[in-house]
Amino acid sequence: MNNKIKKIINKKNRSKIVCLTAYSKNIAEIIDNHVDIILVGDSLGSVLYNYNTTRKVNLKMMLEHTKSVRMGVKKSLLVIDLPYNTYRNKSEALKNSKKAIKETKCDAVKIEGGIKVKDIVRHLVKNKIPVLGHIGITPQTVKGKFKSKGKTETEKRKLINDAKELEKSGAFGIVLECIYSDISKKITNLIKIPTIGIGASVHCDGQVLVTDDILGLTNAKIKFVKKYTNVKKIVNSAVLKFKKEVKSKKYPSKKYSY
Ligand code: KIV
């Protein structure tokens, strides 16, 4: 197991794991100083390309964005989301994971699903590909509206089983997306690998959010999304100043001319 992965696992019950998404070098460079994991999520489909589903994201897009992010990452664990239809069976998953790691130099892959993907996870881990699991709401397979998971006894049992199976299969951690507090607490206490929550309460071993959301670059109106600043406003004001200076010929002054 590589050292970066060991460090992440060792944080369980010691220190919360901080994870954010990045889709490009410039953002990756800034967040790399502060987070443990940088995820190139297939959420880039909706955030950057306005897709109504992550199913439209393909491997080529993920590889190009991850190559850009890699240039900005020095210390964090870099994880790539394997997009929809790229891990339908063991050999497809292995071929695409190897390609992703070879071409982007990322450290690990994330795949969605619980029991359904346990054999794929086991196969990847056996072949030295570190895997981050993802259960609860799994956007690649959601039909209709996103609804938080773990309300009914059947859902609770399924989530617990999914988490246990992913752990048994060798995943080094599991993203819990939109899961009720009591059940994410139970899962976190039950398994030895870290849980990273997104809309899954403070009980998880770590938290992940989409960077564009916390920066106020998107119009996300989701209960668990906290906007920490308003970059749209900052960009707007800088662009307005530039425009005024161009119109008034204040820019470029001598200082900015040859
Ligand atoms: O695609 C993504 O960005 C994700 C995280 C939000 C967990 O899967």
Side-chain angles (χ1 to χ4, degrees):
M1 191 184 289
N2 95 30
N3 272 342
K4 278 188 186 172
I5 306 265
K6 269 190 209 157
K7 265 193 189 168
I8 298 288
I9 296 176
N10 282 338
K11 283 185 183 283
K12 188 164 176 111
N13 299 324
R14 289 192 180 92
S15 163
K16 292 281 185 188
I17 297 163
V18 183
C19 176
L20 278 173
T21 62
Y23 312 132
S24 68
K25 166 183 158 280
N26 294 348
I27 289 288
E29 231 164 37
I30 304 169
I31 67 176
D32 187 42
N33 295 316
H34 308 290
V35 303
D36 303 297
I37 304 176
I38 293 183
L39 170 69
V40 186
D42 60 358
S43 52
L44 63 82
S46 54
V47 175
L48 301 183
Y49 296 92
N50 259 10
Y51 295 164
N52 58 358
T53 164
T54 55
R55 286 190 178 198
K56 292 185 184 160
V57 176
N58 61 40
L59 188 62
K60 188 167 180 286
M61 295 163 77
M62 292 304 297
L63 296 182
E64 291 311 311
H65 282 281
T66 309
K67 281 186 220 168
S68 171
V69 170
R70 174 79 274 173
M71 290 188 263
V73 180
K74 286 201 176 82
K75 59 161 258 304
S76 308
L77 185 84
L78 178 57
V79 182
I80 185 174
D81 246 343
L82 284 189
Y84 182 63
N85 271 355
T86 61
Y87 52 98
R88 286 168 291 188
N89 54 59
K90 290 196 261 186
S91 62
E92 183 179 66
L94 184 59
K95 186 178 110 218
N96 288 324
S97 301
K98 278 186 170 171
K99 186 176 163 74
I101 288 178
K102 186 166 177 234
E103 288 188 18
T104 71
K105 310 276 181 286
C106 66
D107 301 297
V109 302
K110 175 164 83 61
I111 67 177
E112 294 183 5
I115 286 176
K116 260 194 190 162
V117 296
K118 73 175 170 49
D119 293 334
I120 291 170
V121 173
R122 191 180 299 278
H123 187 62
L124 294 181
V125 174
K126 203 174 89 188
N127 283 281
K128 302 198 167 24
I129 311 277
V131 180
L132 180 62
H134 182 158
I135 61 171
I137 285 191
T138 46
Q140 291 174 10
T141 46
V142 149
K143 284 193 187 89
K145 259 183 102 183
F146 284 21
K147 240 180 94 226
S148 30
K149 303 272 180 194
K151 201 170 186 182
T152 64
E153 284 309 312
T154 318
E155 271 182 6
K156 285 181 193 190
R157 262 197 308 276
K158 180 173 175 354
L159 286 166
I160 290 172
N161 266 342
D162 281 342
K164 280 184 176 169
E165 288 298 332
L166 286 175
E167 179 179 34
K168 258 201 255 166
S169 305
F172 71 85
I174 309 176
V175 169
L176 306 185
E177 179 160 353
C178 284
I179 292 179
Y180 281 91
S181 291
D182 58 335
I183 197 71
S184 64
K185 185 177 181 183
K186 194 160 189 182
I187 291 172
T188 302
N189 290 336
L190 257 173
I191 60 176
K192 291 196 175 70
I193 53 171
T195 57
I196 300 168
I198 173 158
S201 88
V202 72
H203 302 299
C204 295
D205 298 302
Q207 298 294 327
V208 55
L209 281 176
V210 168
T211 300
D212 295 57
D213 287 341
I214 71 164
L215 296 183
L217 282 166
T218 62
N219 296 320
K221 286 184 182 61
I222 309 168
K223 184 175 168 69
F224 61 76
V225 168
K226 184 167 177 185
K227 201 162 132 177
Y228 286 83
T229 186
N230 192 339
V231 171
K232 257 190 192 172
K233 226 171 160 180
I234 297 168
V235 172
N236 203 55
S237 130
V239 171
L240 205 66
K241 276 186 198 156
F242 173 67
K243 179 182 163 184
K244 273 189 187 155
E245 292 195 1
V246 170
K247 298 271 187 196
S248 65
K249 299 184 194 162
K250 190 174 173 194
Y251 179 87
S253 59
K254 271 197 174 151
K255 186 181 168 190
Y256 298 99
S257 306
Y258 294 102

